[in-house]
Amino acid sequence: MINTATIYWIRRDLRLGDNPALVEAINRGGPVIPVVINDDIQRGLGAASAYRMSMGFEVMDKTLRALGSRIIYRSGDPVDVLRELVRETGAGAVYWSRLYDPESVARDTKVKATLQADGIDAKSVSGHLMFEPWTVETKAGGFFRVYTPFWRAVSGRDVATPLPAPTKIPSPEMWPQSEHLSDWKMGARLRCGQSVLSQYLSAGEGVAQDILFQFMETGVDRYATGRDLMGVNGTSRLSQFLTLGEISPRQVWHVARQAMMQGAADAEAFIKQLVWREFGYHLMYHTPHITTGNWSEKWDHFPWQEDEDHPHVLAWKQGRTGIPLIDAAMREIYVTGYMHNRGRMNVGSYLTKHLLTHWRIGQKWFEECLVDWDPALNALGWQWVAGSGPDATPYFRVFNPETQAKKFDDGGAYRNAWIAEGQRNAPKTALDFYEAIPQAWNLRPDMRYPDPIVDLSTGRNRALESYKARTF
């Protein structure tokens, strides 16, 4: 039995159930010291996702304390922080759950090499995905560039049974010193928006489990059609819990598969969306440039509008384009940190096609505003809708938000929920937008709703002409 302590480095795995890294740390023997490190990657998070992550840390810490453990908070370069903790505690191992974005891979590679050179058992463990990206290959031995064959390749695979949550976590005789999470002020950049956003959020493994089982009981049967209806709650809303690891994809997979076996007609459609997440990580691992540049180099010289301060970009961010469906979605994200997936497709198409603005500007705004921000899915989603990515919607397809509104928000419930102008008794959701936004925007609910900044037909034709002038 090993008696030296194991440092368990917490990142996007804020749960006890099905947490392989934590289980390995416990099984090693000796005390386990959970630690969260406020490094450059964490400090670089967008305002909403940073605040949401801090909520997750708070719940995780309470959960650990109920088992006699706790989180140690430290700031700095992970190499320096972990080396210092090893020195202070005499730890012989450092374990963590594996991440796959380029920044995390570079950081973790350096940490592992340094600690191993010091004689420390440094190990990354799977848990954030069901299928490690290097284990899914085409018949030719390469990686998948298109979702459908990726789905076929993994849909019949066995997914390991989720690990049970530990009931006891060995603690050290003396805990190392810890910083205070509140001192990190992870919600400070939200300013007045923090009090608004907090009303729409909940965090933690228990909440995630409740949402999953409630969805399986009442929502999955109507998922295939309901997930596109913007005025109803037709999706699982698990994305923020998955991105922070408050629930594991293996747990979701097995519960959904059970529902499918019991006759839930749309459970497979839901599972396909879970596998879409895996596909995003598959692509990010094999082509890491997808997070920062055009996946297809054919788009590198396309004449995007790249001025982030352009009046049309500001109108898009403010939900003041004059196109109700677009504006409703852009206000939803600012108030709640979430946007309906149908809204994401429409606002992405509008920005990149009607406004011919570079998808990177939209990607960065989503990174700032989304509580379910995910490095792989945010990049894949924007490149999908812009046409520059793998498995993309044809570049010449331009979403018509008026047609989309008639099809997916018939009756206007979604638009009315988020646009206050013109409503005598606007709902709280629409009014909260004005509480959350910067005062510098100088917007009020009694203002006249704006005229369209770009005529939809004119914008569409301009986009198509731009595409015709290029060779793809």
Side-chain angles (χ1 to χ4, degrees):
M1 176 68 71
I2 296 174
N3 294 317
T4 59
T6 301
I7 295 170
Y8 162 49
W9 181 15
I10 299 173
R11 293 101 69 80
R12 291 181 176 267
D13 49 348
L14 305 181
R15 64 183 184 274
L16 296 186
D18 197 33
N19 189 330
L22 175 58
V23 169
E24 288 208 27
I26 294 171
N27 289 344
R28 181 176 173 272
V32 174
I33 304 172
V35 59
V36 167
I37 302 175
N38 192 28
D39 65 351
D40 288 342
I41 292 179
Q42 185 168 293
R43 285 190 290 268
L45 290 172
S49 57
Y51 175 58
R52 175 62 179 83
M53 180 172 277
S54 72
M55 293 177 62
F57 289 153
E58 289 180 351
V59 176
M60 182 67 168
D61 190 41
K62 291 178 181 178
T63 303
L64 288 170
R65 286 178 182 272
L67 296 181
S69 186
R70 67 186 67 177
I71 290 178
I72 300 300
Y73 297 99
R74 293 285 179 97
S75 298
D77 184 288
V79 169
D80 298 333
V81 170
L82 292 169
R83 273 180 146 178
E84 177 60 23
L85 280 169
V86 166
R87 186 191 66 79
E88 292 177 20
T89 64
V94 180
Y95 293 168
W96 62 86
S97 293
R98 191 174 297 128
L99 295 176
Y100 307 86
D101 60 284
E103 283 187 305
S104 295
V105 169
R107 174 194 63 188
D108 297 352
T109 300
K110 179 182 177 182
V111 167
K112 183 180 290 187
T114 303
L115 292 177
Q116 288 179 344
D118 290 345
I120 302 301
D121 177 17
K123 182 190 298 185
S124 62
V125 182
S126 64
H128 198 59
L129 299 175
M130 296 183 293
F131 314 112
E132 295 290 62
W134 52 88
T135 68
V136 185
E137 293 183 333
T138 65
K139 292 181 179 179
F143 67 94
F144 286 94
R145 292 169 169 81
V146 178
Y147 171 73
T148 300
F150 179 87
W151 158 253
R152 287 198 294 263
V154 303
S155 61
R157 285 192 176 191
D158 289 330
V159 174
T161 302
L163 298 169
T167 57
K168 182 176 177 60
I169 301 176
S171 300
E173 292 183 5
M174 291 187 61
W175 286 95
Q177 291 294 312
S178 176
E179 298 171 13
H180 297 286
L181 178 62
S182 58
D183 292 339
W184 291 357
K185 301 185 184 304
M186 293 181 72
R189 284 184 291 124
L190 288 171
R191 298 183 177 87
C192 56
Q194 180 178 332
S195 62
V196 175
L197 180 59
S198 64
Q199 301 173 45
Y200 292 87
L201 297 182
S202 55
E205 181 177 8
V207 174
Q209 295 287 341
D210 289 345
I211 289 174
L212 172 62
F213 285 100
Q214 180 67 28
F215 176 70
M216 288 300 151
E217 289 181 4
T218 63
V220 73
D221 277 328
R222 301 180 299 278
Y223 178 75
T225 54
R227 72 187 187 95
D228 276 324
L229 300 178
M230 302 178 72
V232 303
N233 187 17
T235 63
S236 72
R237 294 295 186 106
L238 283 171
S239 54
Q240 62 178 295
F241 302 96
L242 281 165
T243 194
L244 290 174
E246 292 170 330
I247 193 168
S248 82
R250 297 195 305 199
Q251 291 172 313
V252 179
W253 168 280
H254 279 283
V255 172
R257 290 280 295 184
Q258 183 179 17
M260 186 173 72
M261 297 304 174
Q262 292 174 347
D266 290 350
E268 185 175 72
F270 175 70
I271 293 171
K272 285 182 176 180
Q273 293 304 306
L274 186 66
V275 173
W276 174 261
R277 175 179 181 268
E278 301 280 321
F279 178 60
Y281 275 84
H282 181 81
L283 287 170
M284 183 173 66
Y285 175 80
H286 288 287
T287 55
H289 71 278
I290 193 174
T291 62
T292 56
N294 297 313
W295 187 85
S296 171
E297 62 182 16
K298 296 177 182 179
W299 285 81
D300 286 349
H301 301 291
F302 186 78
W304 301 107
Q305 192 290 115
E306 298 190 50
D307 179 9
E308 294 193 39
D309 297 321
H310 192 284
H312 285 177
V313 173
L314 178 61
W316 178 81
K317 291 179 177 179
Q318 293 179 335
R320 298 277 296 173
T321 67
I323 308 299
L325 188 71
I326 303 300
D327 294 340
M330 294 305 294
R331 297 182 192 196
E332 180 189 23
I333 194 177
Y334 212 92
V335 172
T336 69
Y338 173 85
M339 184 189 291
H340 193 284
N341 187 59
R342 179 60 53 175
R344 299 185 199 208
M345 290 188 284
N346 274 274
V347 303
S349 175
Y350 182 83
L351 182 72
T352 59
K353 295 177 177 178
H354 285 93
L355 302 184
L356 284 178
T357 296
H358 203 299
W359 59 267
R360 281 280 286 158
I361 291 176
Q363 179 198 31
K364 290 177 182 177
W365 187 246
F366 272 27
E367 183 175 349
E368 184 70 10
C369 297
L370 285 173
V371 296
D372 65 358
W373 174 79
D374 179 289
L377 297 185
N378 196 31
L380 176 59
W382 274 99
Q383 296 224 46
W384 181 87
V385 77
S388 58
D391 206 16
T393 181
Y395 65 84
F396 51 81
R397 181 183 297 163
V398 182
F399 280 73
N400 183 325
E402 291 183 344
T403 302
Q404 291 276 302
K406 291 177 182 177
K407 187 173 182 180
F408 301 112
D409 187 34
D410 187 30
Y414 179 77
R415 284 163 288 173
N416 289 336
W418 297 109
I419 298 178
E421 297 96 317
Q423 295 196 66
R424 179 171 296 179
N425 295 303
K428 182 179 184 299
T429 48
L431 297 176
D432 276 348
F433 174 71
Y434 298 92
E435 297 295 323
I437 60 176
Q439 291 183 354
W441 283 7
N442 195 29
L443 300 177
R444 305 183 315 276
D446 59 354
M447 296 174 70
R448 186 180 71 86
Y449 186 70
D451 295 325
I453 57 174
V454 173
D455 176 76
L456 289 179
S457 179
T458 301
R460 179 180 184 277
N461 291 335
R462 182 178 60 181
L464 294 177
E465 288 300 319
S466 296
Y467 299 147
K468 288 179 183 177
R470 309 295 299 179
T471 301
F472 291 101

